[in-house]
Amino acid sequence: MNIRQHTEEIEDQLLSPLAARSSCTAGRKYPEEPCSVRTAYQRDRDRIIHSKAFRRLKHKTQVFIIPEGDHYRTRLTHTLEVSQIARTVARALRLNEDLTEAIALGHDLGHTPFGHAGESALNEIMTGGFRHNRQSLRVVDELEGGRGLNLTAEVCDGILNHTGKVTPSSLEGQIVKIADRVAYINHDIDDAVRGGILRTSDLPQFCLDVLGTEHRTRINNMVVDLITSSWGKPQITMSRRVQEATDKLREFLFDHVYIDSEAKSEESKARHVVQFLFEYWNKHPEKLPPEYRIRAESVGVERAVCDYIAGMTDRYAIAQFKALFIPRSFAIPGDSE
């Protein structure tokens, strides 16, 4: 028995007519023999989870740069929370949960060290700018393993369009786009309260009235509203009232957490690290690791340097900065205390 074909038959029976079906994928850049066990989207999910880029997310900033404490979110825990929220919505709407999960797990693979501070720093200095969603697509399309992961078109579309003005082509991708916002709005509030930057009572009263005063209540209300408002429709959407409260919460976070707050106290230093590394390796490409020197021959030095830095964890970027710009101590022979 071919297990994959059996799973595809089950999808045909159980999924909504609006769902993306594994058997109907637009395919991969490089054709492959189908797996006998996993569907195309299950295979994509597994490739992302086993990638080095995915593992590096555990040491990349979400909001707090190098926080003192074990419970602040990282880019990895953010990704897992997005995946959980998105899968819940997809399952309730009878959409393709495997496609949804693959997009969610891959959506931030191209994020820089130091979160949006690193992204902003590269965007200012890189010719043509820098956006983490485009870099995430580069990771899965070209960089990971030296040749990319060769994912399906639907997963690539969802990763590229999880942020920005373009709407993902699949409902599963649309779910991830909204789940990403639901996740970061709520967990960034939780982290800001933990960090003493906010109190729950500081949040706009309208948002508390509509969404709730507790972290889990707000997420639940957003998710339930998302499911109810999207049921049987060819697009994923929230009700007007919940959407308004969600937007106000996001605006509040920009005003009180994302800009000029204690959470951002180290941001200027992080930007300095990223831009100094970028300038150094552009002037000294011979100092790049061998694989990036080789890549520079085909894509140019600037692009290769950008790819190298964007893939770094926070601590690796700091270690590289120290190695290049901080004098090392040394022992004098025969000198003792």
Side-chain angles (χ1 to χ4, degrees), residues 47-65:
R47 288 179 181 182
I48 290 169
I49 289 175
H50 287 281
S51 70
K52 291 185 293 185
F54 184 77
R55 295 196 294 275
R56 290 196 298 268
L57 294 176
K58 68 180 178 179
H59 293 302
K60 291 193 176 191
T61 289
Q62 175 58 28
V63 170
F64 286 78
I65 297 175

Side-chain angles (χ1 to χ4, degrees), residues 69-119:
D70 295 332
H71 299 135
Y72 293 95
R73 270 72 172 189
T74 65
R75 191 61 56 177
L76 178 61
T77 58
H78 160 73
T79 294
L80 296 176
E81 291 187 35
V82 173
S83 177
Q84 178 270 314
I85 291 169
R87 285 188 292 108
T88 296
V89 176
R91 184 177 297 183
L93 294 176
R94 294 192 297 120
L95 299 177
N96 196 309
E97 194 173 339
D98 294 323
L99 172 58
T100 304
E101 185 177 24
I103 295 170
L105 293 175
H107 82 282
D108 269 356
L109 292 180
H111 229 302
T112 60
F114 312 120
H116 289 288
E119 179 176 24

Side-chain angles (χ1 to χ4, degrees), residues 236-253:
I236 305 300
T237 184
M238 287 178 165
S239 67
R240 182 193 60 79
R241 186 172 171 82
V242 170
Q243 185 69 65
E244 183 181 357
T246 301
D247 291 343
K248 284 186 180 295
L249 266 187
R250 184 171 181 268
E251 292 170 7
F252 177 85
L253 286 172

Side-chain angles (χ1 to χ4, degrees), residues 88-265:
T88 296
V89 176
R91 184 177 297 183
L93 294 176
R94 294 192 297 120
L95 299 177
N96 196 309
E97 194 173 339
D98 294 323
L99 172 58
T100 304
E101 185 177 24
I103 295 170
L105 293 175
H107 82 282
D108 269 356
L109 292 180
H111 229 302
T112 60
F114 312 120
H116 289 288
E119 179 176 24
S120 175
L122 278 181
N123 185 51
E124 287 180 6
I125 203 168
M126 175 67 185
T127 301
F130 178 91
R131 291 289 183 271
H132 76 272
N133 56 316
R134 296 202 301 257
Q135 189 68 17
S136 294
L137 182 61
R138 279 184 62 76
V139 169
V140 300
D141 217 27
E142 300 179 40
L143 300 178
E144 181 66 30
R147 49 182 279 183
L149 298 177
N150 198 29
L151 304 182
T152 58
E154 293 79 14
V155 173
C156 290
D157 170 81
I159 288 174
L160 177 63
N161 297 313
H162 81 269
T163 187
K165 296 180 179 180
V166 179
T167 300
S169 60
S170 68
L171 293 185
E172 290 82 359
Q174 293 178 35
I175 288 174
V176 173
K177 188 164 191 166
I178 298 178
D180 182 33
R181 183 165 293 192
V182 171
Y184 76 67
I185 285 174
N186 285 288
H187 65 51
D188 290 352
I189 289 172
D190 190 48
D191 280 354
V193 171
R194 177 176 290 105
I197 295 170
L198 291 178
R199 295 171 299 178
T200 301
S201 58
D202 294 330
L203 300 176
Q205 190 59 47
F206 170 74
C207 300
L208 295 175
D209 291 342
V210 173
L211 301 174
T213 59
E214 294 186 350
H215 174 75
R216 63 180 182 178
T217 303
R218 286 192 295 273
I219 293 178
N220 183 71
N221 286 339
M222 287 181 179
V223 168
V224 171
D225 180 81
L226 193 57
I227 294 167
T228 304
S229 300
S230 304
W231 186 265
K233 295 179 181 177
Q235 65 179 25
I236 305 300
T237 184
M238 287 178 165
S239 67
R240 182 193 60 79
R241 186 172 171 82
V242 170
Q243 185 69 65
E244 183 181 357
T246 301
D247 291 343
K248 284 186 180 295
L249 266 187
R250 184 171 181 268
E251 292 170 7
F252 177 85
L253 286 172
F254 270 96
D255 291 340
H256 296 86
V257 177
Y258 298 150
I259 300 174
D260 295 331
S261 76
E262 185 63 28
K264 298 299 182 178
S265 61

